[in-house]
């Protein structure tokens, strides 16, 4: 149904590139508008769980990414002060691959795939405002130009003008948490596992990327002081190290290697009540921003891209296709967003009876029934939008 049909994707991140590629592979004539002068990404890691990896397989990119990305073997929950293990979740099911992917590698693979599929990339084009109409979508660009487009997919992130126009009353709020991210080099390769160090009001996640000697770090702290939203605000590495001085030597030694860190405030955005109007639809963070406590932001965007392309390919009526896409995706993404929010509470328990009981229960489950904990999240990880 999409053969030759013109479509526009706004945003050259993971969601936008995946959508452009999925649409082009189904026969659409796709233009992608990206405000940056080049398709690139700063250094950061991603955990691509089986639900996201299945989309990459369907898009033909899994072999490329598997060649440069460690396949994760486990997630370990650990106590902050001693580093002692609390719970370990094996990730070794052969049919459920987890990969630890450098964000820049994923973006590069998606961009190369999109260009090879015939997507036209327009770089240095910033969309300042969007006006959906019954026959076309009007885009007002930052340089003053006005363009008209047909079917338009807004995959331009948290501050998407399209999200704002479709959901004018939707407002985020500061969660009282900030997060640092950085990558550091270590002398020898680390095993391909993710480790979560859980402390009072704080936690830190680390896992290896590429050759195993590059380590991705995400560290979260609860605090009253507000911090700006967005991933590109630099901070002093000493601030990060100071916030985790009472963590175990393993964590402190890792943070001593940090040379460049970024800090962002964590804001809770409601899942958008309205996902589409006329010829305009939202995708990825523009529709359902999430806190980074379930590692599902990129995976949800990949799922969105595949489902949207399939719906548009199977239904000749764009309005019906958009409605079907939103109906399939809104309940699932809302549940994942809530689960990610809940994880912050679980990671940040303070010393006392509740922490003692919670960690004791995890240790018992780790010894006698680890599969029950894994099964609790099968609805996230075993979901397959490509089936």
């Amino acid at each position: 149904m999409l053969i030759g049909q013109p479509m526009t994707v706004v945003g050259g991140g993971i969601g936008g590139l995946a959508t452009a590629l999925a649409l082009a592979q189904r026969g659409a004539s796709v233009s992608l508008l990206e405000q940056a002068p080049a398709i690139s990404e700063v250094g950061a890691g991603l955990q691509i769980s089986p639900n996201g990896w299945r989309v990459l397989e369907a898009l033909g990119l899994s072999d490329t990414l598997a060649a440069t990305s460690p396949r994760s073997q486990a997630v370990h929950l650990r106590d902050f002060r001693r580093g002692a293990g609390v719970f370990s979740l094996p990730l070794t099911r052969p049919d459920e691959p987890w990969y630890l992917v450098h964000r820049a590698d994923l973006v590069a693979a998606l961009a190369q795939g999109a260009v090879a599929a015939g997507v036209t990339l327009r770089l240095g084009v910033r969309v300042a405002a969007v006006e959906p109409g019954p026959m076309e979508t009007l885009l007002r660009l930052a340089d003053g130009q006005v363009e008209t487009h047909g079917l338009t997919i807004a995959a331009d992130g948290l501050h998407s003008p399209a999200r704002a126009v479709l959901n004018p009353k939707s407002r985020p709020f500061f969660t009282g948490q900030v997060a640092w991210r950085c990558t550091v080099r270590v002398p020898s390769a680390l095993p391909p596992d993710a480790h979560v160090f859980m402390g009072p009001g704080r936690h830190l996640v680390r896992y290896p990327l590429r050759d195993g000697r590059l380590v991705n770090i995400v560290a979260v702290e609860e605090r009253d002081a507000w911090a700006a939203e967005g991933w590109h605000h630099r901070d002093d590495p000493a601030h990060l190290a100071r916030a985790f001085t009472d963590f175990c030597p393993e964590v402190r030694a890792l943070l001593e290697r940090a040379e460049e860190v970024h800090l962002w405030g964590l804001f809770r955005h409601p899942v958008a009540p309205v996902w589409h109007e006329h010829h305009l639809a939202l995708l990825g963070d523009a529709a359902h921003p999430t806190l980074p406590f379930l590692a599902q932001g990129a995976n949800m965007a990949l799922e969105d891209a595949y489902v949207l392309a399939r719906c548009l390919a199977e239904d000749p009526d764009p309005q019906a296709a958009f409605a079907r896409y939103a109906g399939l995706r809104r309940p699932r993404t809302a549940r994942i967003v809530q689960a990610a929010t809940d994880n912050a509470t679980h990671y940040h328990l303070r010393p006392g009876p509740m922490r003692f009981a919670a960690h004791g229960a995890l240790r018992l489950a780790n010894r006698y029934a680890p599969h029950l904990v894994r099964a609790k999240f099968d609805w996230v990880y075993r979901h397959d939008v490509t089936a």
Side-chain angles (χ1 to χ4, degrees), residues 14 24 96 99 101 113 138 144 157 165 168 175 271 310 349 359 377 386:
I14 292 168
E96 294 185 15
Y99 279 88
V101 179
L138 187 146
V165 76
T175 63
V271 173
R310 188 185 68 204
L349 294 173
H359 285 202
F377 290 100
T386 71

Side-chain angles (χ1 to χ4, degrees), residues 21 78 302 304 379:
L21 173 56
R78 299 170 62 182
L302 291 169
D304 284 356
W379 66 272

Side-chain angles (χ1 to χ4, degrees), residues 52-129:
W53 194 256
R54 292 185 185 103
V55 175
L56 294 174
E57 289 177 334
L59 295 177
L61 302 179
S62 57
D63 288 348
T64 297
L65 290 164
T68 59
S69 306
R71 179 166 175 169
S72 185
Q73 298 300 300
V75 175
H76 304 286
L77 304 183
R78 299 170 62 182
D79 176 72
F80 78 106
R81 194 180 298 279
R82 295 181 296 114
V86 176
F87 182 82
S88 292
L89 180 68
L91 304 176
T92 53
R93 289 179 180 172
D95 60 336
E96 294 185 15
W98 293 63
Y99 279 88
L100 305 173
V101 179
H102 198 293
R103 183 181 291 268
D105 295 342
L106 177 55
V107 167
L110 288 167
Q112 292 166 9
V115 171
V119 174
T120 300
L121 302 183
R122 295 178 55 197
L123 305 178
V125 179
R126 186 169 75 84
V127 176

